[in-house]
Each structure stands twice: as structure tokens, then as C-alpha cells.
Amino acid sequence: MVMTHPGLPLYWAYAIGIMMLLLALLTMAVKAPITSASRSISLAKLPLIGGLFRFLTKYTWPLLLLKIAFAALFITVITAGLWGTPIVERNLATTLTWNLWWTGIIIAIVFSGSAWCALCPWDNIASWLVNHSIWRRSNSHSRLQLKVPTMLRSVWPASLLFIGFTWLELGVGIVASPYATAMLALLMLILATTTLALFEDKAFCRYMCPVGRTVGAYSQLAPIALRPIDSEICRNCKTLECFHGSDKIAPCPTKLIIGRLQENTYCTSCGNCTQSCPSSNVSWQLRSPSSEAIKEAKPHMDEAFFLLILLSLTLFHGLTMLDYWEVYLSEMAQLINDSGQLIISFSIGLAVTVILPIWIYCLCIGLTQGLLKRNLENGMTKLSFNKLFSGFAFVSLPLAFSYHIAHNLTHFVRESSDWLSLVANPLGIGAEPLSMMDKHMRHMEMMVSENTLFIMQGIIIAIGFVIAAQVIRHRGHRLFAAQGITLLPMILFAALVTGFNLWMLVQPMTMRM
Amino acid sequence: MIKITSKKTVILSGLLLCALALFSSLTQAHHVLGRPSYSLNEDSNTPPSMAIETQIGEYFVTYMVFPAFPKPNEPGRVNIYATRIDNGEMLNQTITFTVRDDTFWGESIGIGDGAKPEVIGQQNIDDGVYRQGFLFKSRGSYIIRAYFEDNGEPYEIDFPLQVGAASPVGPIGAAVGFIFFLLLMINIVQRKRIARTKIQQGNTAW
């Protein structure tokens, strides 16, 4: 028997639909300002909490303690996965990885930007193994420092790994296997260690890590980021310790210069810049949420594809948890004579779901290009499809993020495990599987009331569309002098994705564990 | 002739008789499974490698694998005993036994020869028990599956079997070994590179 969650009430979907219609008209009617400076507040300068942020960025040991704690937790997860009970909901490996971590990491971006990367046990354990140093700058001979091959110098490796992860997670079913979960964690650790030992800087974090790139992409919407406290100090800086490092502190692992940093994408929040800056001029800042996606982030083709793939995979996650999915998969399996685990049918479903949104996006970009060329025949002679493609790709970011959070909230709120018993018995020794009554009780005992959850989900989806409309309006105007009817194809794309997201949220959803 | 002399002796004799009666009933229960005790069977004087009692669908299933440590080229046996949960009636159908390699990826993805199940045999009930003999030529981890159908419902009972000693290198060993080897190699290459650079610098300076 499979447990399902009830979906969002239909009136919420209608309300958001009306809001979308009004906002779409407004987006086409009101011209975006050409220049508008983003406001930001340094958290280190705030009266009450400023001291705490100054303390966190000045000393190494608070972050180091957190890194060690997360590494210990990671080792516990591997131990539980390899030697613990195979009962999914009684094993810390599966529960912590898929129910808490993968759900919580997305929600955490709203509050802490890309801070997860600083605590990431894959990178930290790899760094300790390779550098032979816990935090100081290392002179270890265990790194070949090779240049990253040109074909790997993009986020395509991360995109392909992300698709692979999704295939393993939902197709092969590693979510339902503590052993496979632990093996995947080990595999990622080996990949992180190997790339760190072979290549210069942190090639794994920058080009390959699907989790890091997802966090990096989403953190462009985050209201918090590491930035200079006083831009003038950075402007006059000649030594660039944030980039080169100091005697004790390593340089920026992803080659960023903090004074010129406009995008959070590749910042791993490692704290090297806060530690090495001789003027202690780097700290956490509160800023206008999604300002990067709307205005500051520069478009690149590989990153644009990553954002679209992120959107596709987010939709795919939702799709596989609907009742319809099983029916379609079964029909397809009968059609192509696929038996057993239906892995071929699943793979076809995944491929179609990845390609379809990108194809619809391309269609909308093509329409935008046509409209722009007609309206601005002489003005925009160099209006290429690629520029439009990468320039507008940021629209997929709030759409993916909002659905990702709304969907994960359901898992988080409705499938909260008995954490006390899990922590007390992480390997689940002698544990019994959940009975239907247990499952039913878990289903009923929610962290917040069902109505609160629906309100949160509705608001999040609505915010996603609002930001998407802003991205279209600002980017369209600033990059391509587009306004009015020329923005319609992109608005339709955003509306179509939001509408599909809403439809999925309205449907009953299958429980994960 | 023994003469009963006291009340105590009567009570003690009574308790002894009860104990004997209890013991004999237990022996009968064991005999249903076709073996003299829970730890031995007719082919093996060692305990089973596993003895599991579980419920699946409409049935209460008991299965055992003999001997405790099956080795390559030595015969072993799987015993299955199944009764209906509702009325205790014994399962009386043909059970098909298959075997495949115990790999998560092989089972889930279906890649590789090890993923394809091989039929060991089909067994009918014999004295209340389904007995399937096996003989593995090479050591490894296997999954034996007992398959039958009842009222149109398929029943698949999987149990793992380790033949011979398990590989001394598990996933952790392989991961640690790989990382250690990688770092060692890189260290050697780096030290050679540094030494060569120093020699070249020395030659240039001279």
C-alpha cells in the first residue's frame, strides 16, 4: 500500500492564476529602469548580531568545528548505510540523506546562501586527505596541480552528473537502499579526492559537483552572501589576498576576487577570503533577494543549460511522485516490452522530461527573437539566438527554486521521522519496519498544520512567478531593449511552468518513505 | 518394585513427566521441518547459515540455508516451509528456485551476466518441506529466490547466500585503498618533479 499526501486546494491555484495574469500584463506594460543600484547591508555592522558575524568570520575554529561535526556525521551515514538495517525509514543513511539533507539544503539556501559548501564533507574530507592539513595553507606534495582539461572547464560535468544522480535516485531507487546511498556518498568522496589530487584549485566544486552547482545557482536568489564590507577598500587593494591567499590561508578555491564578485554561483563560502583579507573587509551581507538573477549575473551558455536542466529535473522529481507517472510508465513499458524494473521506460521518461522544457524554452526564445527583430529592425543587428538563450535562462531559476522548495516542504513537513530514535540507533539495529499504522500516524502528525503548509506552498509558488516576471522585465530591457509584447513569449514560458508546477501541487503526492 | 515413599517424590515425578511431555511436543514441532533440531539437518551437522521466519502475503514462511558456511564445490541445501496465515494450511505447489549475483546495481539496473537469474530447480513439497540442493563452483555473494504463485499473486522470497569466504576488501577497503594508492603515486611523481626542477635550477645557476 502506498501512502499519498493530499494536494493543494484548487482555490489556491485559481488565486495564483489570476495573480499571474495581472502580473503578466503589468510586466508588459511597465518599462524596467535602466539602472537601479541594489541595496545591501553588512551583517557585521548591525548593532546586535554584528558581533556574532565578526566573530564567525575572524576566527577559524568555529567553522572548523562545524566542518569536523559534519564530517563525523558523514562517516556515521556511511557506517549506517553499509552495516545498518536495510529498513529505509529506520536507517540514518537514507533518512538523513534523502529526507533531511536533500530537502533541507534547498530550504537552507534562503537563509544562508551557499554556506552549505563550506561544510560539505566531500570537499572537507578530500582536502584533509590531500592537503595533510586541517585548515592552514598546505605545502603537501599530494597534488599534481594539473590544469583542468578544456572539455571539463564548464558546468556540463555537473549537469550530466545531476541527471545521473536523478536517474540513480528515482530510477534505480537508491533512495530505498541504505547500502546504495552509502556507496554513492563514497563514490562522491573518491571523485572529490581524485580531482583535488590531480587538478589545480577545486575543480570538483567548480565544475563537477551537482549539489554545489545547484546550491551555487539557487544562491543567486539568496538574500545573503559573502561580500566586501566597504567596496572602497577592495578597490584600492593591490595585494588581493582573497585571490592569492596569505602565508597561512589558502587562496580562493574557485578563483574569485571578492572586490569584483557579482555572482554567488561559484562562491563556496569557504571563509578563505574572510580569513586572509588584511583589512577584515569581507563579511556576510543582506541584499536584495534575487538581485543577481534579475540583474547582476552574467549569462554563459553552459550555465544557462544547467539552469534549464535544473528546472527540468525539479519538474521530473514532482512528476514521478504523482499517480499518473506510474500509469504512463506502465503503458510505455508495455509498448516497448520493458519488464522487470522498467528502467528503460524510466530512462525514456527522464530524457523526455529533461528535453521538453528546454525545447519549449527554445521555442519561446525563437519567438522572442522574431518579435524583437520585427520591432527593432535596425537597432539590434547582432541579436543572436545564443545571447537570448543565455540571457533569459535566469527565468528558470526562480521557477525551479520555488517548486523545489514547495515540493520539498511537503516531504519535510509530512514525512518527518522519529529523529530521536534514529539518532539513538542510527544503524537501526533490531528495528522493525513501520507498520501501516505507524505510516498513517506519521502522515497525520505534521510539523505544521496542513493549511499552513498550503499557504506556504501557495506563497512560494507565487513569489517564484513574481521573480521570474522581474527577471524577464529587467533582463529583457537591459540586455535586448525588449518591452511590451516582445516579452510575451518569455512570460508565457514562465506562466506555463508555474501552471504546471501548480497542477502538480494540486495532485495527491506519493510519500517518499 | 519401587515403592513411593513420600509426597515430595510424587510431586517430583509429576514435574519430570510434564517436562518430558513438553520436550516430546517440541521434538514433534521440529520434526515438521524435517530436521531433528533447529540447528541441524539431515545433510549438515552444522547450524544453518540463516534461519528466518517471516510473513509474506497470505503465508507464514520459514526458510533455512545449510550448512552454516557453504563452500565452493560442496553441496548445500535450502529448506522452505510455508503455511497460510489464516488457517495454517501448508503450501502445496511447485516452487521454482533461482540464483543470481548479489549486486544492488545488477538487480536494479539489470546490467551484466550476474544480474540474470539462473534456475537451480523446481521442487514439490516433501514431508511438509521444500528442499532445494545447490552446489556452487566459485565463491561469492548470491541471492537465491524462491518463486511461486498463489491465487494469481506472485510470491518472491529472496535470501542472501555467501559461498566461501567473503571478499576481504569491502567498499570501505576499496575506497581507502584507492585513495591511498592515488595519493602515494601523486606524492612520488611530485617529489620527482621537484627534484628534477632543483637539478635544472642548479645547472642553470652554475
Side-chain angles (χ1 to χ4, degrees):
Chain A
M1 187 184 163
V2 178
M3 300 287 284
T4 50
H5 307 301
L8 196 71
L10 213 54
Y11 56 82
W12 264 106
Y14 290 138
I16 295 169
I18 293 165
M19 183 278 292
M20 279 161 57
L21 188 69
L22 294 174
L23 192 67
L25 293 171
L26 201 70
T27 305
M28 287 192 289
V30 181
K31 203 173 161 183
I34 294 174
T35 51
S36 57
S38 301
R39 291 184 62 191
S40 62
I41 304 163
S42 174
L43 288 169
K45 282 184 175 175
L46 289 179
L48 283 171
I49 53 168
L52 174 72
F53 279 95
R54 281 196 297 274
F55 169 78
L56 286 175
T57 47
K58 187 178 176 185
Y59 296 103
T60 313
W61 63 266
L63 184 60
L64 182 63
L65 281 181
L66 278 171
K67 284 178 179 182
I68 292 170
F70 275 84
L73 202 60
F74 177 74
I75 291 164
T76 313
V77 162
I78 288 182
T79 311
L82 294 181
W83 294 289
T85 175
I87 303 167
V88 186
E89 66 273 7
R90 300 290 196 200
N91 191 307
L92 191 76
T94 33
T95 316
L96 193 72
T97 307
W98 303 113
N99 207 328
L100 186 66
W101 173 73
W102 190 225
T103 303
I105 197 173
I106 305 301
I107 297 169
I109 294 169
V110 179
F111 305 101
S112 57
S114 60
W116 163 256
C117 290
L119 308 173
C120 169
W122 295 334
D123 176 54
N124 287 324
I125 295 176
S127 299
W128 294 332
L129 286 171
V130 174
N131 292 335
H132 308 164
S133 168
I134 290 182
W135 65 274
R136 282 174 183 276
R137 187 170 188 154
S138 158
N139 293 316
S140 156
H141 295 310
S142 294
R143 296 193 67 182
L144 276 186
Q145 306 268 18
L146 301 172
K147 282 220 175 296
V148 180
T150 318
M151 62 178 292
L152 289 179
R153 253 184 265 168
S154 66
V155 291
W156 275 109
S159 300
L160 296 175
L161 267 177
F162 198 9
I163 295 171
F165 260 34
T166 307
W167 186 74
L168 288 173
E169 183 195 342
L170 302 168
V172 178
I174 54 173
V175 178
S177 167
Y179 185 84
T181 302
M183 290 298 282
L184 184 69
L186 264 180
L187 189 75
M188 290 306 285
L189 179 64
I190 289 173
L191 198 60
T193 312
T194 309
T195 45
L196 190 69
L198 290 178
F199 302 121
E200 59 184 2
D201 306 315
K202 287 193 174 174
F204 175 74
C205 299
R206 189 175 170 107
Y207 305 118
M208 294 170 201
C209 181
V211 177
R213 288 306 93 239
T214 304
V215 170
Y218 281 158
S219 67
Q220 293 184 76
L221 301 168
I224 185 167
L226 270 177
R227 290 289 187 276
I229 297 169
D230 184 350
S231 304
E232 200 55 35
I233 293 175
C234 282
R235 211 165 289 137
N236 297 324
C237 177
K238 303 283 181 236
T239 48
L240 296 179
E241 276 89 349
C242 57
F243 181 75
H244 298 294
S246 65
D247 293 341
K248 288 180 181 174
I249 305 297
C252 174
T254 49
K255 287 189 169 172
L256 302 174
I257 299 170
I258 202 81
R260 295 176 209 161
L261 188 62
Q262 281 192 310
E263 291 174 51
N264 239 17
T265 320
Y266 297 107
C267 175
T268 60
S269 301
C270 67
N272 284 1
C273 53
T274 62
Q275 301 286 319
S276 59
C277 178
S279 313
S280 300
N281 191 39
V282 187
S283 184
W284 292 95
Q285 276 198 2
L286 269 182
R287 58 185 187 158
S288 167
S290 63
S291 58
E292 275 181 39
I294 293 173
K295 288 178 281 187
E296 290 147 19
K298 288 187 178 64
H300 298 278
M301 208 57 179
D302 59 327
E303 291 167 3
F305 266 106
F306 182 81
L307 298 182
L308 288 162
I309 288 169
L310 189 60
L311 174 68
S312 298
L313 294 180
T314 309
L315 301 179
F316 184 69
H317 266 82
L319 207 58
T320 57
M321 288 174 197
L322 305 183
D323 286 342
Y324 300 98
W325 174 253
E326 292 291 327
V327 178
Y328 291 142
L329 205 64
S330 165
E331 281 174 2
M332 195 193 299
Q334 284 171 26
L335 203 70
I336 60 170
N337 204 16
D338 181 22
S339 61
Q341 299 288 321
L342 310 187
I343 203 75
I344 300 169
S345 310
F346 176 86
S347 306
I348 294 169
L350 172 64
V352 169
T353 319
V354 168
I355 293 166
L356 198 62
I358 300 175
W359 183 78
I360 294 171
Y361 177 77
C362 286
L363 200 70
C364 293
I365 290 292
L367 285 171
T368 309
Q369 191 183 25
L371 285 172
L372 276 172
K373 275 188 177 167
R374 211 175 60 178
N375 283 9
L376 311 157
E377 270 176 27
N378 297 323
M380 299 287 285
T381 48
K382 286 181 184 175
L383 189 66
S384 75
F385 183 89
N386 286 4
K387 274 190 177 175
L388 277 164
F389 185 95
S390 52
F392 274 122
F394 293 89
V395 74
S396 60
L397 204 53
L399 301 175
F401 193 49
S402 58
Y403 180 72
H404 209 147
I405 294 185
H407 172 92
N408 278 4
L409 263 179
T410 311
H411 287 304
F412 198 56
V413 167
R414 293 182 190 269
E415 298 169 9
S416 53
S417 294
D418 184 0
W419 290 106
L420 275 180
S421 63
L422 264 173
V423 170
N425 183 13
L427 273 64
I429 295 165
E432 295 285 326
L434 285 175
S435 65
M436 283 322 292
M437 180 54 78
D438 289 331
K439 284 193 177 180
H440 184 73
M441 289 313 290
R442 273 177 61 173
H443 188 70
M444 300 302 287
E445 288 167 2
M446 293 167 60
M447 280 180 177
V448 294
S449 75
E450 197 164 76
N451 273 335
T452 313
L453 174 68
F454 290 149
I455 290 168
M456 285 159 76
Q457 284 183 316
I459 289 172
I460 288 165
I461 290 290
I463 290 175
F465 186 77
V466 171
I467 298 173
Q470 287 285 83
V471 171
I472 294 166
R473 183 167 156 255
H474 280 265
R475 284 196 172 262
H477 189 62
R478 284 178 66 243
L479 299 177
F480 313 109
Q483 56 180 319
I485 197 74
T486 48
L487 297 176
L488 187 63
M490 291 316 299
I491 290 171
L492 282 177
F493 176 77
L496 187 70
V497 174
T498 310
F500 187 70
N501 287 345
L502 271 173
W503 175 79
M504 284 200 291
L505 284 177
V506 167
Q507 308 305 311
M509 198 179 98
T510 311
M511 275 184 89
R512 189 153 53 189
M513 59 177 69
Chain B
M1 192 178 167
I2 302 162
K3 201 177 176 183
I4 298 167
T5 52
S6 68
K7 253 187 178 176
K8 266 186 184 175
T9 317
V10 174
I11 292 166
L12 279 171
S13 306
L15 283 172
L16 186 67
L17 271 172
C18 286
L20 276 170
L22 192 68
F23 181 72
S24 62
S25 71
L26 279 174
T27 310
Q28 201 180 6
H30 284 192
H31 189 70
V32 172
L33 295 172
R35 56 202 157 90
S37 78
Y38 272 109
S39 60
L40 302 172
N41 91 331
E42 60 269 38
D43 299 324
S44 167
N45 58 357
T46 60
S49 58
M50 61 165 54
I52 290 177
E53 292 174 346
T54 187
Q55 289 180 12
I56 171 167
E58 303 288 321
Y59 285 90
F60 182 79
V61 179
T62 305
Y63 60 82
M64 274 158 280
V65 183
F66 294 94
F69 305 105
K71 292 186 178 70
N73 295 312
E74 282 183 11
R77 187 188 287 272
V78 178
N79 284 5
I80 284 192
Y81 170 73
T83 52
R84 284 193 69 86
I85 295 168
D86 51 1
N87 57 15
E89 202 178 294
M90 265 191 266
L91 173 75
N92 192 357
Q93 294 201 32
T94 305
I95 293 186
T96 305
F97 290 86
T98 55
V99 66
R100 60 178 166 79
D101 285 344
D102 183 8
T103 56
F104 174 82
W105 312 110
E107 163 73 350
S108 306
I109 306 170
I111 295 171
D113 288 340
K116 290 171 191 156
E118 191 182 316
V119 176
I120 317 175
Q122 287 189 325
Q123 299 298 326
N124 292 314
I125 196 158
D126 171 28
D127 197 16
V129 183
Y130 293 87
R131 297 181 175 86
Q132 175 64 57
F134 60 77
L135 191 143
F136 287 91
K137 287 183 179 171
S138 50
R139 75 168 203 188
S141 300
Y142 302 93
I143 295 282
I144 293 184
R145 172 171 289 174
Y147 177 85
F148 64 92
E149 285 180 12
D150 186 58
N151 283 333
E153 292 289 329
Y155 283 75
E156 289 178 341
I157 305 158
D158 284 353
F159 35 94
L161 176 69
Q162 177 65 46
V163 175
S167 169
V169 184
I172 291 277
V176 170
F178 174 79
I179 289 171
F180 177 78
F181 182 75
L182 177 84
L183 297 183
L184 186 75
M185 286 297 112
I186 287 174
N187 220 296
I188 291 167
V189 171
Q190 274 294 81
R191 280 175 196 280
K192 276 190 176 175
R193 192 189 272 180
I194 290 164
R196 201 164 48 235
T197 313
K198 276 183 183 169
I199 291 166
Q200 280 170 353
Q201 279 172 348
N203 286 343
T204 317
W206 190 73

